[in-house]
Amino acid sequence: MNNLKLLPKIKVPTLIMGSQYDSVIPVWIQLLMHKQIRHSEFVILRNTGHIAKLEQKEAFNRVIRNFLKKHSKVS
C-alpha cells in the first residue's frame, strides 16, 4: 500500500534520516519523503546501509539527540 499522499498532512517536526547505501529504502525514496513533508529535516548518514543505528551508532544517536533538543519545548 502506498501512503505517499498522507505525507503532506504531517504537521509535526519530522526527521528523515537515511543511509547512503540503503538497499531497502534507497536515497531517492528518502528524498521524496522529505520533499512531501513540509519543513522536515533530511540527514543522510554516509557509508552506511539499512541498519545505520548499528553501523554508525554514535552519529545516528547524535543526529537524533540534536533533533530532539531542537524541537523540545522549553518550560
Side-chain angles (χ1 to χ4, degrees):
M1 186 163 123
N2 185 334
N3 291 317
L4 285 175
K5 63 185 174 194
L6 298 175
L7 296 179
K9 296 179 181 187
I10 296 174
K11 305 295 182 204
V12 297
T14 304
L15 173 63
I16 308 289
M17 185 171 12
S19 299
Q20 182 178 12
Y21 300 119
D22 192 333
S23 60
V24 178
I25 304 172
V27 173
W28 71 269
I29 292 176
Q30 300 163 26
L31 182 59
L32 176 66
M33 292 171 63
H34 167 60
K35 288 183 176 184
Q36 294 295 313
I37 302 172
R38 189 173 181 185
H39 303 299
S40 64
E41 295 181 35
F42 184 45
V43 175
I44 293 290
L45 295 176
R46 303 285 178 209
N47 300 313
T48 58
H50 187 67
I51 309 175
K53 65 183 179 184
L54 299 178
E55 296 173 43
Q56 288 196 25
K57 62 184 172 185
E58 292 85 12
F60 182 89
N61 289 331
R62 184 175 48 253
V63 170
I64 291 177
R65 274 194 303 274
N66 290 339
F67 179 80
L68 292 174
K69 283 179 189 176
K70 183 176 180 179
H71 294 285
S72 64
K73 294 186 179 192
V74 177
S75 302

XYZ file of all heavy atoms in Angstrom:
620
model
N 0.828 -1.178 0.000
C 0.000 0.000 0.000
C 0.879 1.251 0.000
O 1.830 1.352 0.758
C -0.900 -0.009 1.232
C -1.889 1.116 1.243
S -3.187 0.757 2.416
C -3.068 2.171 3.446
N 0.575 2.203 -0.832
C 1.344 3.426 -0.966
C 0.673 4.543 -0.170
O -0.441 4.942 -0.467
C 1.442 3.791 -2.444
C 2.331 4.971 -2.682
O 2.520 5.807 -1.816
N 2.879 5.038 -3.869
N 1.376 5.051 0.834
C 0.838 6.108 1.686
C 1.473 7.466 1.414
O 1.385 8.357 2.255
C 1.018 5.737 3.159
C 0.140 4.572 3.560
O -1.031 4.518 3.187
N 0.697 3.647 4.294
N 2.102 7.631 0.267
C 2.771 8.898 -0.043
C 1.835 10.091 0.036
O 2.244 11.176 0.430
C 3.435 8.846 -1.421
C 4.715 8.035 -1.519
C 5.201 7.974 -2.960
C 5.789 8.626 -0.622
N 0.570 9.903 -0.293
C -0.374 11.024 -0.272
C -0.646 11.513 1.150
O -1.138 12.626 1.341
C -1.674 10.653 -0.972
C -2.438 9.535 -0.307
C -3.649 9.147 -1.106
C -4.287 7.919 -0.463
N -5.251 7.291 -1.311
N -0.321 10.708 2.150
C -0.510 11.116 3.543
C 0.632 12.000 4.059
O 0.457 12.748 5.018
C -0.645 9.887 4.445
C -1.826 8.971 4.163
C -1.762 7.745 5.057
C -3.137 9.715 4.356
N 1.796 11.919 3.433
C 2.969 12.638 3.929
C 2.761 14.145 4.034
O 3.165 14.744 5.040
C 4.199 12.309 3.076
C 4.664 10.852 3.115
C 5.878 10.656 2.220
C 4.955 10.406 4.529
N 2.134 14.814 3.058
C 1.944 16.268 3.193
C 1.049 16.664 4.366
O 1.035 17.825 4.769
C 1.295 16.671 1.866
C 1.648 15.591 0.913
C 1.719 14.334 1.744
N 0.330 15.726 4.929
C -0.563 16.016 6.055
C 0.174 16.045 7.395
O -0.394 16.457 8.398
C -1.691 14.996 6.107
C -2.586 15.057 4.882
C -3.679 14.036 4.948
C -4.525 14.124 3.679
N -5.693 13.280 3.746
N 1.414 15.615 7.420
C 2.198 15.600 8.658
C 2.530 17.035 9.045
O 3.112 17.780 8.263
C 3.475 14.755 8.495
C 3.103 13.289 8.232
C 4.376 14.892 9.722
C 4.276 12.387 7.917
N 2.169 17.410 10.258
C 2.338 18.791 10.726
C 3.264 18.910 11.930
O 3.362 19.965 12.522
C 0.969 19.396 11.086
C -0.059 19.331 9.987
C 0.338 20.157 8.795
C -0.759 20.100 7.748
N -0.303 20.368 6.412
N 3.914 17.851 12.314
C 4.819 17.871 13.467
C 6.262 17.817 12.973
O 6.526 17.380 11.845
C 4.534 16.687 14.422
C 3.137 16.790 15.009
C 4.734 15.356 13.721
N 7.211 18.256 13.806
C 8.619 18.163 13.400
C 8.965 16.721 13.014
O 8.628 15.781 13.729
C 9.376 18.594 14.652
C 8.415 19.469 15.387
C 7.060 18.864 15.122
N 9.594 16.589 11.872
C 9.869 15.263 11.323
C 11.319 15.179 10.857
O 11.794 16.063 10.152
C 8.934 14.970 10.135
O 7.579 15.114 10.566
C 9.148 13.574 9.591
N 11.977 14.120 11.247
C 13.347 13.864 10.834
C 13.345 12.678 9.875
O 12.865 11.604 10.215
C 14.223 13.541 12.048
C 15.648 13.091 11.773
C 16.456 14.191 11.084
C 16.311 12.657 13.066
N 13.861 12.901 8.693
C 14.082 11.813 7.742
C 15.587 11.535 7.793
O 16.390 12.328 7.318
C 13.679 12.206 6.300
C 12.271 12.762 6.228
C 13.901 11.039 5.344
C 11.179 11.762 6.442
N 15.965 10.427 8.402
C 17.374 10.073 8.482
C 17.583 8.829 7.629
O 17.028 7.770 7.909
C 17.811 9.799 9.919
C 19.285 9.543 10.001
S 20.060 9.454 11.640
C 18.757 9.347 12.795
N 18.353 9.009 6.600
C 18.588 7.922 5.676
C 20.030 7.467 5.672
O 20.874 8.011 6.379
N 20.280 6.474 4.868
C 21.616 5.896 4.744
C 22.037 5.886 3.287
O 21.249 5.554 2.402
C 21.622 4.467 5.281
O 21.281 4.460 6.646
N 23.274 6.223 3.065
C 23.808 6.350 1.718
C 23.639 5.070 0.895
O 23.303 5.134 -0.279
C 25.290 6.723 1.802
C 25.951 6.940 0.463
C 27.403 7.352 0.604
O 27.988 7.280 1.680
N 27.988 7.776 -0.485
N 23.848 3.930 1.507
C 23.811 2.673 0.765
C 22.635 1.777 1.181
O 22.729 0.556 1.135
C 25.127 1.915 0.937
C 26.324 2.688 0.445
C 27.350 3.039 1.301
C 26.413 3.087 -0.892
C 28.442 3.762 0.847
C 27.498 3.814 -1.356
C 28.506 4.140 -0.474
O 29.578 4.860 -0.932
N 21.541 2.390 1.565
C 20.359 1.629 1.973
C 19.714 0.997 0.742
O 19.238 1.695 -0.144
C 19.360 2.555 2.680
C 18.250 1.803 3.383
O 17.922 0.675 2.961
O 17.709 2.351 4.356
N 19.686 -0.312 0.692
C 19.089 -1.011 -0.451
C 17.602 -1.300 -0.223
O 16.894 -1.669 -1.149
C 19.839 -2.313 -0.738
O 19.788 -3.163 0.383
N 17.123 -1.124 1.010
C 15.716 -1.360 1.325
C 14.900 -0.100 1.043
O 13.842 -0.157 0.423
C 15.546 -1.806 2.798
C 14.082 -2.006 3.139
C 16.338 -3.087 3.055
N 15.392 1.051 1.525
C 14.749 2.344 1.260
C 15.825 3.242 0.650
O 16.546 3.938 1.368
C 14.173 2.962 2.551
C 13.208 1.985 3.218
C 13.472 4.290 2.238
C 12.731 2.423 4.577
N 15.966 3.228 -0.668
C 17.024 3.990 -1.328
C 16.911 5.494 -1.082
O 15.846 6.018 -0.746
C 16.821 3.673 -2.812
C 15.899 2.511 -2.874
C 15.138 2.476 -1.601
N 18.021 6.179 -1.264
C 18.093 7.620 -1.026
C 17.019 8.373 -1.807
O 16.424 9.323 -1.294
C 19.503 8.165 -1.352
C 19.524 9.686 -1.260
C 20.533 7.570 -0.403
N 16.714 7.962 -3.010
C 15.719 8.700 -3.804
C 14.337 8.648 -3.144
O 13.570 9.610 -3.213
C 15.677 8.228 -5.257
C 15.091 6.872 -5.495
C 15.759 5.686 -5.535
C 13.714 6.558 -5.725
N 14.887 4.649 -5.769
C 13.614 5.155 -5.896
C 12.543 7.319 -5.804
C 12.412 4.509 -6.144
C 11.344 6.672 -6.053
C 11.282 5.287 -6.216
N 14.020 7.552 -2.460
C 12.744 7.466 -1.744
C 12.802 8.327 -0.480
O 11.833 9.014 -0.146
C 12.398 6.004 -1.401
C 12.103 5.225 -2.681
C 11.206 5.938 -0.435
C 11.839 3.752 -2.474
N 13.930 8.309 0.195
C 14.103 9.140 1.379
C 13.930 10.617 1.006
O 13.245 11.368 1.717
C 15.482 8.903 1.987
C 15.724 7.465 2.410
C 17.193 7.159 2.617
O 17.991 8.040 2.910
N 17.554 5.900 2.485
N 14.520 11.033 -0.092
C 14.409 12.414 -0.558
C 12.972 12.745 -0.942
O 12.472 13.831 -0.632
C 15.347 12.652 -1.738
C 15.383 14.062 -2.293
C 15.793 15.074 -1.231
C 16.322 14.134 -3.490
N 12.300 11.825 -1.574
C 10.894 12.021 -1.937
C 10.041 12.242 -0.683
O 9.193 13.144 -0.652
C 10.378 10.810 -2.720
C 8.903 10.821 -3.095
C 8.616 11.943 -4.089
C 8.507 9.477 -3.689
N 10.287 11.461 0.346
C 9.557 11.636 1.607
C 9.830 13.018 2.186
O 8.911 13.720 2.614
C 9.973 10.548 2.605
C 9.519 9.158 2.210
S 10.239 7.869 3.257
C 9.562 8.283 4.845
N 11.080 13.403 2.192
C 11.466 14.725 2.717
C 10.750 15.852 1.968
O 10.232 16.778 2.583
C 12.973 14.890 2.611
C 13.470 16.270 2.816
N 13.273 16.982 3.983
C 14.173 17.083 1.999
C 13.832 18.169 3.868
N 14.372 18.254 2.677
N 10.683 15.744 0.678
C 10.032 16.781 -0.123
C 8.527 16.829 0.101
O 7.907 17.870 -0.087
C 10.337 16.570 -1.607
C 11.766 16.903 -1.957
C 12.012 16.756 -3.433
C 13.423 17.187 -3.776
N 13.668 17.145 -5.218
N 7.937 15.722 0.519
C 6.490 15.661 0.737
C 6.070 16.123 2.141
O 4.905 16.436 2.361
C 5.971 14.246 0.493
C 6.079 13.788 -0.939
C 5.206 14.602 -1.873
O 4.041 14.836 -1.582
N 5.765 15.054 -2.977
N 7.011 16.145 3.076
C 6.699 16.555 4.450
C 7.262 17.948 4.654
O 8.478 18.131 4.773
C 7.281 15.573 5.486
C 6.757 14.167 5.240
C 6.942 16.035 6.908
C 7.422 13.101 6.081
N 6.374 18.914 4.673
C 6.783 20.311 4.776
C 7.602 20.545 6.041
O 7.249 20.080 7.120
C 5.539 21.186 4.784
C 5.849 22.633 4.684
C 4.606 23.435 4.535
N 5.006 24.826 4.423
C 4.176 25.830 4.368
N 2.894 25.602 4.397
N 4.622 27.044 4.291
N 8.693 21.233 5.902
C 9.598 21.598 6.997
C 10.278 20.396 7.651
O 10.763 20.511 8.774
C 8.882 22.428 8.063
C 8.259 23.674 7.532
N 8.989 24.679 6.936
C 6.974 24.081 7.476
C 8.188 25.651 6.553
N 6.946 25.307 6.865
N 10.303 19.262 6.987
C 11.031 18.117 7.554
C 12.528 18.378 7.423
O 12.973 19.193 6.621
C 10.647 16.822 6.846
O 11.028 16.849 5.494
N 13.276 17.674 8.246
C 14.734 17.737 8.173
C 15.222 16.432 7.557
O 14.703 15.367 7.854
C 15.332 17.942 9.557
C 14.951 19.279 10.156
C 15.564 19.506 11.518
O 16.709 19.060 11.749
O 14.884 20.117 12.353
N 16.253 16.548 6.707
C 16.743 15.404 5.954
C 18.237 15.245 6.203
O 19.016 16.168 5.971
C 16.460 15.646 4.474
C 16.823 14.516 3.559
C 16.511 13.211 3.864
C 17.464 14.773 2.361
C 16.830 12.173 2.998
C 17.783 13.750 1.483
C 17.464 12.448 1.812
N 18.618 14.090 6.717
C 20.017 13.792 7.002
C 20.344 12.441 6.390
O 19.606 11.473 6.573
C 20.275 13.738 8.532
C 21.704 13.318 8.823
C 19.946 15.068 9.184
N 21.451 12.396 5.667
C 21.948 11.133 5.118
C 23.231 10.768 5.858
O 24.161 11.566 5.922
C 22.257 11.247 3.606
C 20.988 11.450 2.804
C 23.007 10.020 3.103
C 20.086 10.240 2.756
N 23.260 9.585 6.424
C 24.480 9.080 7.052
C 25.320 8.403 5.976
O 24.847 7.483 5.298
C 24.148 8.116 8.182
C 23.414 8.729 9.372
C 23.061 7.659 10.390
C 24.232 9.821 10.022
N 26.516 8.884 5.819
C 27.419 8.366 4.787
C 27.987 7.001 5.174
O 28.136 6.686 6.354
C 28.580 9.347 4.562
C 28.145 10.740 4.190
C 27.687 10.785 2.767
N 27.218 12.120 2.446
C 26.297 12.370 1.549
N 25.740 11.390 0.885
N 25.912 13.596 1.301
N 28.295 6.229 4.165
C 28.937 4.917 4.326
C 28.160 3.979 5.249
O 28.747 3.245 6.036
C 30.376 5.083 4.827
C 31.206 5.895 3.871
O 31.190 5.673 2.661
N 31.924 6.869 4.388
N 26.835 4.027 5.160
C 26.001 3.122 5.949
C 24.966 2.465 5.048
O 24.634 2.981 3.981
C 25.255 3.873 7.073
O 24.462 4.903 6.494
C 26.203 4.457 8.085
N 24.470 1.345 5.514
C 23.406 0.642 4.815
C 22.097 0.826 5.571
O 21.888 1.843 6.234
N 21.234 -0.166 5.512
C 19.895 -0.053 6.088
C 19.895 -0.014 7.622
O 18.957 0.464 8.227
C 19.020 -1.213 5.591
C 17.591 -1.097 5.995
N 16.763 -0.109 5.512
C 16.841 -1.841 6.854
C 15.566 -0.242 6.040
N 15.585 -1.278 6.860
N 20.948 -0.485 8.247
C 20.946 -0.554 9.713
C 21.975 0.439 10.274
O 22.891 0.084 11.010
C 21.227 -1.989 10.199
C 20.296 -2.967 9.486
C 21.011 -2.091 11.703
C 20.562 -4.416 9.783
N 21.782 1.706 9.947
C 22.710 2.759 10.358
C 22.842 2.861 11.873
O 23.907 3.192 12.384
C 22.267 4.096 9.779
N 21.766 2.561 12.583
C 21.827 2.681 14.048
C 22.841 1.713 14.656
O 23.309 1.922 15.770
C 20.457 2.487 14.681
C 19.870 1.119 14.518
C 18.491 1.068 15.123
C 17.884 -0.303 14.952
N 16.512 -0.331 15.457
N 23.200 0.671 13.933
C 24.248 -0.245 14.387
C 25.582 0.048 13.711
O 26.638 -0.080 14.327
C 23.848 -1.699 14.105
C 22.585 -2.197 14.797
C 22.281 -3.636 14.381
C 22.697 -2.081 16.300
N 25.528 0.458 12.451
C 26.740 0.692 11.680
C 27.477 1.956 12.117
O 28.708 1.990 12.079
C 26.401 0.776 10.192
C 25.850 -0.518 9.629
C 25.373 -0.365 8.198
O 26.062 0.280 7.401
O 24.288 -0.884 7.888
N 26.731 2.990 12.474
C 27.329 4.254 12.930
C 26.502 4.798 14.096
O 25.914 5.872 14.009
C 27.380 5.267 11.789
C 28.402 4.934 10.752
C 28.707 6.120 9.866
O 28.544 7.272 10.249
N 29.162 5.837 8.665
N 26.484 4.032 15.168
C 25.576 4.363 16.265
C 25.850 5.726 16.888
O 24.906 6.411 17.289
C 25.550 3.273 17.315
C 26.854 2.992 18.009
C 26.715 1.816 18.966
C 28.069 1.427 19.499
N 27.989 0.246 20.328
N 27.119 6.154 16.972
C 27.406 7.462 17.567
C 26.813 8.582 16.712
O 26.160 9.493 17.226
C 28.921 7.673 17.740
C 29.553 6.768 18.780
C 29.933 5.407 18.221
O 29.928 5.219 16.971
O 30.222 4.505 19.027
N 27.030 8.527 15.416
C 26.484 9.548 14.509
C 24.964 9.503 14.498
O 24.304 10.544 14.530
C 27.037 9.348 13.099
N 24.412 8.315 14.466
C 22.956 8.129 14.482
C 22.348 8.764 15.731
O 21.409 9.557 15.653
C 22.656 6.623 14.427
C 21.202 6.284 14.393
C 20.525 6.187 13.183
C 20.503 6.030 15.558
C 19.177 5.849 13.138
C 19.153 5.702 15.531
C 18.496 5.610 14.315
N 22.910 8.443 16.889
C 22.395 8.981 18.145
C 22.592 10.490 18.232
O 21.725 11.200 18.757
C 23.046 8.282 19.338
C 22.565 6.855 19.496
O 21.443 6.522 19.128
N 23.420 6.002 20.030
N 23.695 10.997 17.724
C 23.951 12.436 17.737
C 22.899 13.187 16.927
O 22.372 14.217 17.370
C 25.356 12.736 17.211
C 25.740 14.205 17.277
C 27.183 14.480 16.875
N 27.572 13.838 15.628
C 28.377 12.777 15.519
N 28.880 12.199 16.587
N 28.662 12.265 14.340
N 22.571 12.675 15.756
C 21.556 13.307 14.910
C 20.207 13.322 15.627
O 19.521 14.352 15.657
C 21.449 12.591 13.538
C 20.238 13.076 12.758
C 22.719 12.800 12.730
N 19.836 12.214 16.232
C 18.557 12.150 16.943
C 18.550 13.088 18.149
O 17.585 13.828 18.359
C 18.230 10.706 17.368
C 17.930 9.876 16.126
C 17.049 10.677 18.344
C 17.658 8.429 16.390
N 19.639 13.083 18.929
C 19.704 13.984 20.096
C 19.581 15.440 19.670
O 18.839 16.218 20.282
C 21.000 13.766 20.869
C 20.937 12.658 21.896
C 22.121 12.697 22.855
N 23.404 12.616 22.174
C 24.010 11.494 21.830
N 23.451 10.332 22.093
N 25.177 11.524 21.218
N 20.297 15.836 18.635
C 20.240 17.220 18.156
C 18.837 17.589 17.685
O 18.349 18.689 17.963
C 21.254 17.459 17.045
C 22.680 17.447 17.552
O 22.934 17.639 18.737
N 23.615 17.206 16.648
N 18.191 16.679 16.978
C 16.825 16.932 16.504
C 15.866 17.095 17.693
O 15.060 18.024 17.720
C 16.376 15.779 15.603
C 14.970 15.937 15.082
C 14.712 16.768 14.013
C 13.922 15.263 15.676
C 13.410 16.922 13.532
C 12.628 15.411 15.221
C 12.375 16.245 14.136
N 15.982 16.211 18.667
C 15.096 16.280 19.833
C 15.327 17.539 20.657
O 14.387 18.182 21.118
C 15.249 15.030 20.701
C 14.748 13.738 20.068
C 15.089 12.544 20.950
C 13.261 13.801 19.792
N 16.596 17.927 20.825
C 16.901 19.162 21.554
C 16.307 20.369 20.828
O 15.752 21.255 21.460
C 18.414 19.344 21.693
C 19.052 18.483 22.734
C 20.547 18.736 22.767
C 21.249 17.731 23.650
N 22.720 17.915 23.621
N 16.449 20.372 19.557
C 15.968 21.487 18.742
C 14.436 21.638 18.834
O 13.914 22.743 18.785
C 16.385 21.260 17.284
C 16.030 22.342 16.330
C 16.602 21.994 14.964
C 16.300 23.032 13.940
N 16.871 22.676 12.643
N 13.742 20.516 18.970
C 12.288 20.543 18.922
C 11.615 20.287 20.262
O 10.394 20.189 20.320
C 11.783 19.534 17.877
C 12.183 19.920 16.495
N 11.568 20.934 15.805
C 13.169 19.459 15.692
C 12.154 21.070 14.625
N 13.117 20.193 14.534
N 12.395 20.180 21.323
C 11.761 20.002 22.631
C 11.286 21.359 23.137
O 11.915 22.383 22.907
C 12.729 19.368 23.622
O 13.822 20.220 23.858
N 10.152 21.351 23.808
C 9.571 22.597 24.317
C 10.272 22.992 25.602
O 10.491 22.166 26.480
C 8.087 22.435 24.544
C 7.340 22.215 23.263
C 5.856 22.212 23.492
C 5.184 22.007 22.132
N 3.782 22.269 22.180
N 10.610 24.248 25.687
C 11.241 24.778 26.888
C 10.139 25.279 27.805
O 9.270 26.035 27.410
C 12.215 25.935 26.536
C 12.810 26.526 27.797
C 13.279 25.441 25.581
N 10.186 24.833 29.058
C 9.139 25.236 30.023
C 9.473 26.567 30.653
O 10.559 26.894 30.934
C 8.996 24.183 31.117
O 8.675 22.948 30.543
